[in-house]
């Protein structure tokens, strides 16, 4: 038995988060009204509060650009460290071989 993963549009997520305020901040009641899991709605609300949910007034595209750049830089650093480690091992191997 496989579970079907439901995907929601950014507009739906933004409206769902706005609807929480209409229900006096009650995430559980809002989730029941919309027919989605409470944890899912809570995650969306947390993202909105952090400025990461598209379509909400808190959304900050500059923040998202910085986050994406940070991810890319971390990946580049990891690759560079792996390359450095390989070169260290190769240097040590060839230094021992010359003796």
């Amino acid at each position: 038995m496989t579970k079907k993963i439901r995907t929601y549009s950014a507009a739906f997520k933004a409206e769902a988060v706005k609807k929480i305020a209409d229900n006096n901040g009650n995430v559980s009641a809002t989730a029941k009204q919309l027919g989605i899991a409470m944890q899912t709605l809570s995650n969306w609300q947390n993202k909105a509060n952090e400025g990461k949910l598209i379509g909400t007034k808190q959304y900050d595209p500059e923040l998202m650009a910085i986050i994406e750049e940070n991810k890319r830089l971390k990946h580049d650093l990891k690759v560079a460290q792996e390359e450095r480690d390989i070169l260290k091992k190769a240097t040590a191997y060839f230094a021992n071989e010359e003796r």
Side-chain angles (χ1 to χ4, degrees):
M1 179 178 194
T2 59
K3 255 190 175 180
K4 193 173 189 180
I5 297 175
R6 295 171 52 182
T7 57
Y8 301 95
S9 69
F12 178 81
K13 292 176 184 180
E15 285 299 317
V17 170
K18 289 176 189 173
K19 201 167 199 138
I20 293 171
D22 296 341
N23 285 337
N24 298 320
N26 191 337
V27 176
S28 178
T30 306
K32 285 180 184 176
Q33 287 175 353
L34 297 173
I36 59 176
M38 187 179 92
Q39 186 61 47
T40 301
L41 186 57
S42 179
N43 290 342
W44 295 345
Q45 184 181 29
N46 291 339
K47 282 186 178 182
N49 292 340
E50 293 170 0
K52 297 179 182 178
L53 187 64
I54 297 173
T56 58
K57 63 183 177 184
Q58 300 97 330
Y59 178 69
D60 186 1
E62 291 177 13
L63 173 65
M64 293 307 295
I66 290 169
I67 290 171
E68 289 301 316
E69 181 182 18
N70 192 20
K71 284 181 186 176
R72 183 185 57 77
L73 291 172
K74 283 183 178 181
H75 178 265
D76 292 349
L77 176 62
K78 183 178 178 183
V79 169
Q81 288 173 335
E82 289 172 353
E83 290 172 350
R84 180 203 61 206
D85 292 343
I86 290 169
L87 290 173
K88 277 184 178 179
K89 289 177 184 176
T91 302
Y93 174 78
F94 287 115
N96 286 338
E97 193 174 271
E98 292 177 0
R99 291 183 191 173

